[in-house]
Amino acid sequence: MFTGLVEFAGITISLLREGKTAILTLDSEPIAQSVRVGDSIAVNGCCLTVSDRRACKVAFDVGDETLARTNLGRLKTGHRVNLERALAIGDRMGGHYVTGHVDSVTELLERRDDGEWAKGWFRLPERFAAQVVPQGSVALDGISFTVVDVLADRFSIMFVPHTLAVTTMGMRRPGDRVNLETDLLAKYVERQVAGWR
């Protein structure tokens, strides 16, 4: 379980394909020095298990389902990623409950910069439309956001200066694809309501 508050950045060293799976290796000394093999780390919002760590490098085994469902399969050498260690009991909960189970990849449709702030519009996949509401929560590339507007096929987010400065969202431009995880509570509510029909 995660909070959607990015702790560190990582730089992609390699994504080595092995049949349908891959080994993702990142350069991030803060993560490499603070985790053990077997720990869970959110990489762009996708929960991965540390398979190897040494010096400033950390590696993860990535399954075919993850490569198909997330933007991790598109990573190239030098690409920056968002990293968050798993939530520990007793930690402050500054974001929202993020499982690290990515629902879909979505697209940044429009970005309007206003000084140090920005507003982004993202495509809303029809399958998840009932799980995204104004003032509700979503995770985009593992970053916890509050939804501003929701239309039939899109939703908007405000980017605060800190988020633009320390996460990959500052580099995102229209056409970029990001991992989307809708709110866990919204999923349960939708499932319960569907059972009453």
Side-chain angles (χ1 to χ4, degrees), residues 112-124:
R112 298 178 193 160
D113 290 285
D114 184 10
E116 294 182 326
W117 292 70
K119 185 173 186 177
W121 283 91
F122 293 85
R123 182 176 52 81
L124 178 57

Side-chain angles (χ1 to χ4, degrees), residues 124-145:
L124 178 57
E126 184 179 354
R127 163 65 187 89
F128 304 105
Q131 299 171 9
V132 179
V133 298
Q135 285 73 59
S137 298
V138 295
L140 298 170
D141 272 355
I143 310 163
S144 175
F145 287 107

Side-chain angles (χ1 to χ4, degrees), residues 128-182:
F128 304 105
Q131 299 171 9
V132 179
V133 298
Q135 285 73 59
S137 298
V138 295
L140 298 170
D141 272 355
I143 310 163
S144 175
F145 287 107
T146 300
V147 176
V148 178
D149 309 292
V150 179
L151 303 178
D153 63 345
R154 61 183 59 200
F155 65 95
S156 69
I157 300 291
M158 287 299 297
F159 304 129
V160 301
H162 178 77
T163 300
L164 292 173
V166 303
T167 74
T168 57
M169 208 52 71
M171 302 179 295
R172 296 296 186 196
R173 297 293 176 258
D176 286 351
R177 296 168 62 80
V178 298
N179 294 328
L180 167 68
E181 181 184 332
T182 61

Side-chain angles (χ1 to χ4, degrees), residues 6-7 29 56 98 144 160 168-169:
V6 173
E7 295 183 286
E29 185 174 357
C56 60
V98 177
S144 175
V160 301
T168 57
M169 208 52 71

Side-chain angles (χ1 to χ4, degrees), residues 9-14 24-29 31-32 41-44 48 54 56-60 75 79-83:
I11 303 298
T12 304
I13 295 173
S14 64
L24 173 62
T25 304
L26 302 175
D27 183 349
S28 180
E29 185 174 357
I31 283 288
I41 304 293
V43 180
N44 274 0
L48 298 179
R54 53 189 77 178
C56 60
K57 299 178 184 177
V58 62
F60 308 88
L75 291 176
H79 280 182
R80 186 175 165 190
V81 294
N82 298 318
L83 301 173

Side-chain angles (χ1 to χ4, degrees), residues 2-7 84 93-98 139 142-145:
F2 306 92
T3 67
L5 299 183
V6 173
E7 295 183 286
E84 180 188 355
M93 186 70 188
H96 73 282
Y97 286 117
V98 177
I143 310 163
S144 175
F145 287 107

